[in-house]
PDB file of all heavy atoms in Angstrom:
ATOM      1  N   THR A 179     -99.121 -15.405  28.170  1.00 93.00           N
ATOM      2  CA  THR A 179    -100.409 -14.722  28.380  1.00 93.00           C
ATOM      3  C   THR A 179    -100.417 -14.125  29.777  1.00 93.00           C
ATOM      4  O   THR A 179    -101.152 -13.218  29.991  1.00 93.00           O
ATOM      5  CB  THR A 179    -101.508 -15.701  28.169  1.00 93.00           C
ATOM      6  OG1 THR A 179    -101.302 -16.830  29.002  1.00 93.00           O
ATOM      7  CG2 THR A 179    -101.640 -16.122  26.724  1.00 93.00           C
ATOM      8  N   SER A 180     -99.597 -14.548  30.680  1.00 95.00           N
ATOM      9  CA  SER A 180     -99.533 -14.039  32.059  1.00 95.00           C
ATOM     10  C   SER A 180     -99.139 -12.551  31.939  1.00 95.00           C
ATOM     11  O   SER A 180     -99.769 -11.645  32.502  1.00 95.00           O
ATOM     12  CB  SER A 180     -98.537 -14.787  32.894  1.00 95.00           C
ATOM     13  OG  SER A 180     -98.815 -16.126  33.042  1.00 95.00           O
ATOM     14  N   LEU A 181     -98.106 -12.272  31.105  1.00 96.00           N
ATOM     15  CA  LEU A 181     -97.623 -10.900  30.884  1.00 96.00           C
ATOM     16  C   LEU A 181     -98.721 -10.141  30.181  1.00 96.00           C
ATOM     17  O   LEU A 181     -98.964  -8.911  30.458  1.00 96.00           O
ATOM     18  CB  LEU A 181     -96.329 -10.870  30.135  1.00 96.00           C
ATOM     19  CG  LEU A 181     -95.632  -9.586  29.996  1.00 96.00           C
ATOM     20  CD1 LEU A 181     -95.322  -8.922  31.319  1.00 96.00           C
ATOM     21  CD2 LEU A 181     -94.348  -9.731  29.194  1.00 96.00           C
ATOM     22  N   ASN A 182     -99.374 -10.735  29.256  1.00 94.00           N
ATOM     23  CA  ASN A 182    -100.487 -10.045  28.495  1.00 94.00           C
ATOM     24  C   ASN A 182    -101.591  -9.642  29.438  1.00 94.00           C
ATOM     25  O   ASN A 182    -102.184  -8.529  29.277  1.00 94.00           O
ATOM     26  CB  ASN A 182    -101.042 -10.976  27.428  1.00 94.00           C
ATOM     27  CG  ASN A 182    -100.081 -11.179  26.289  1.00 94.00           C
ATOM     28  OD1 ASN A 182     -99.136 -10.497  26.170  1.00 94.00           O
ATOM     29  ND2 ASN A 182    -100.373 -12.264  25.481  1.00 94.00           N
ATOM     30  N   TYR A 183    -101.878 -10.460  30.419  1.00 95.00           N
ATOM     31  CA  TYR A 183    -102.965 -10.126  31.375  1.00 95.00           C
ATOM     32  C   TYR A 183    -102.595  -8.860  32.213  1.00 95.00           C
ATOM     33  O   TYR A 183    -103.433  -8.093  32.536  1.00 95.00           O
ATOM     34  CB  TYR A 183    -103.328 -11.305  32.318  1.00 95.00           C
ATOM     35  CG  TYR A 183    -104.425 -12.152  31.838  1.00 95.00           C
ATOM     36  CD1 TYR A 183    -104.274 -13.005  30.714  1.00 95.00           C
ATOM     37  CD2 TYR A 183    -105.687 -12.113  32.485  1.00 95.00           C
ATOM     38  CE1 TYR A 183    -105.299 -13.811  30.301  1.00 95.00           C
ATOM     39  CE2 TYR A 183    -106.723 -12.864  32.062  1.00 95.00           C
ATOM     40  CZ  TYR A 183    -106.553 -13.799  30.891  1.00 95.00           C
ATOM     41  OH  TYR A 183    -107.583 -14.529  30.458  1.00 95.00           O
ATOM     42  N   ILE A 184    -101.307  -8.826  32.557  1.00 97.00           N
ATOM     43  CA  ILE A 184    -100.864  -7.616  33.331  1.00 97.00           C
ATOM     44  C   ILE A 184    -101.101  -6.320  32.426  1.00 97.00           C
ATOM     45  O   ILE A 184    -101.669  -5.381  32.855  1.00 97.00           O
ATOM     46  CB  ILE A 184     -99.448  -7.728  33.721  1.00 97.00           C
ATOM     47  CG1 ILE A 184     -99.213  -8.907  34.700  1.00 97.00           C
ATOM     48  CG2 ILE A 184     -98.894  -6.468  34.307  1.00 97.00           C
ATOM     49  CD1 ILE A 184     -97.783  -9.141  35.107  1.00 97.00           C
ATOM     50  N   ASP A 185    -100.579  -6.405  31.193  1.00 96.00           N
ATOM     51  CA  ASP A 185    -100.632  -5.283  30.280  1.00 96.00           C
ATOM     52  C   ASP A 185    -102.056  -4.904  29.825  1.00 96.00           C
ATOM     53  O   ASP A 185    -102.474  -3.730  29.773  1.00 96.00           O
ATOM     54  CB  ASP A 185     -99.736  -5.506  29.061  1.00 96.00           C
ATOM     55  CG  ASP A 185     -98.239  -5.579  29.429  1.00 96.00           C
ATOM     56  OD1 ASP A 185     -97.860  -5.026  30.484  1.00 96.00           O
ATOM     57  OD2 ASP A 185     -97.543  -6.211  28.641  1.00 96.00           O
ATOM     58  N   ASP A 186    -102.882  -5.958  29.519  1.00 94.00           N
ATOM     59  CA  ASP A 186    -104.139  -5.700  28.882  1.00 94.00           C
ATOM     60  C   ASP A 186    -105.343  -5.636  29.827  1.00 94.00           C
ATOM     61  O   ASP A 186    -106.351  -5.088  29.557  1.00 94.00           O
ATOM     62  CB  ASP A 186    -104.393  -6.817  27.811  1.00 94.00           C
ATOM     63  CG  ASP A 186    -103.268  -6.807  26.750  1.00 94.00           C
ATOM     64  OD1 ASP A 186    -102.692  -5.731  26.552  1.00 94.00           O
ATOM     65  OD2 ASP A 186    -103.142  -7.873  26.067  1.00 94.00           O
ATOM     66  N   VAL A 187    -105.291  -6.394  30.941  1.00 95.00           N
ATOM     67  CA  VAL A 187    -106.319  -6.508  31.880  1.00 95.00           C
ATOM     68  C   VAL A 187    -106.112  -5.582  33.104  1.00 95.00           C
ATOM     69  O   VAL A 187    -106.907  -4.704  33.434  1.00 95.00           O
ATOM     70  CB  VAL A 187    -106.570  -7.930  32.295  1.00 95.00           C
ATOM     71  CG1 VAL A 187    -107.705  -8.027  33.385  1.00 95.00           C
ATOM     72  CG2 VAL A 187    -106.873  -8.820  31.138  1.00 95.00           C
ATOM     73  N   VAL A 188    -104.899  -5.783  33.797  1.00 97.00           N
ATOM     74  CA  VAL A 188    -104.666  -4.923  34.980  1.00 97.00           C
ATOM     75  C   VAL A 188    -104.303  -3.470  34.562  1.00 97.00           C
ATOM     76  O   VAL A 188    -104.769  -2.483  35.118  1.00 97.00           O
ATOM     77  CB  VAL A 188    -103.537  -5.423  35.703  1.00 97.00           C
ATOM     78  CG1 VAL A 188    -103.211  -4.632  36.999  1.00 97.00           C
ATOM     79  CG2 VAL A 188    -103.817  -6.912  36.189  1.00 97.00           C
ATOM     80  N   LYS A 189    -103.504  -3.307  33.543  1.00 97.00           N
ATOM     81  CA  LYS A 189    -103.050  -2.005  33.044  1.00 97.00           C
ATOM     82  C   LYS A 189    -102.496  -1.211  34.208  1.00 97.00           C
ATOM     83  O   LYS A 189    -102.984  -0.148  34.566  1.00 97.00           O
ATOM     84  CB  LYS A 189    -104.250  -1.198  32.401  1.00 97.00           C
ATOM     85  CG  LYS A 189    -104.818  -1.931  31.210  1.00 97.00           C
ATOM     86  CD  LYS A 189    -105.985  -1.217  30.628  1.00 97.00           C
ATOM     87  CE  LYS A 189    -106.594  -1.882  29.419  1.00 97.00           C
ATOM     88  NZ  LYS A 189    -107.804  -1.259  28.853  1.00 97.00           N
ATOM     89  N   PRO A 190    -101.350  -1.695  34.768  1.00 96.00           N
ATOM     90  CA  PRO A 190    -100.839  -1.041  35.964  1.00 96.00           C
ATOM     91  C   PRO A 190    -100.177   0.282  35.707  1.00 96.00           C
ATOM     92  O   PRO A 190     -99.855   0.619  34.548  1.00 96.00           O
ATOM     93  CB  PRO A 190     -99.766  -2.101  36.424  1.00 96.00           C
ATOM     94  CG  PRO A 190     -99.342  -2.761  35.114  1.00 96.00           C
ATOM     95  CD  PRO A 190    -100.602  -2.886  34.345  1.00 96.00           C
TER      96      PRO A 190
END
Side-chain angles (χ1 to χ4, degrees):
T179 52
S180 301
L181 189 58
N182 292 343
Y183 265 72
I184 296 175
D185 293 336
D186 301 336
V187 178
V188 179
K189 300 178 181 178

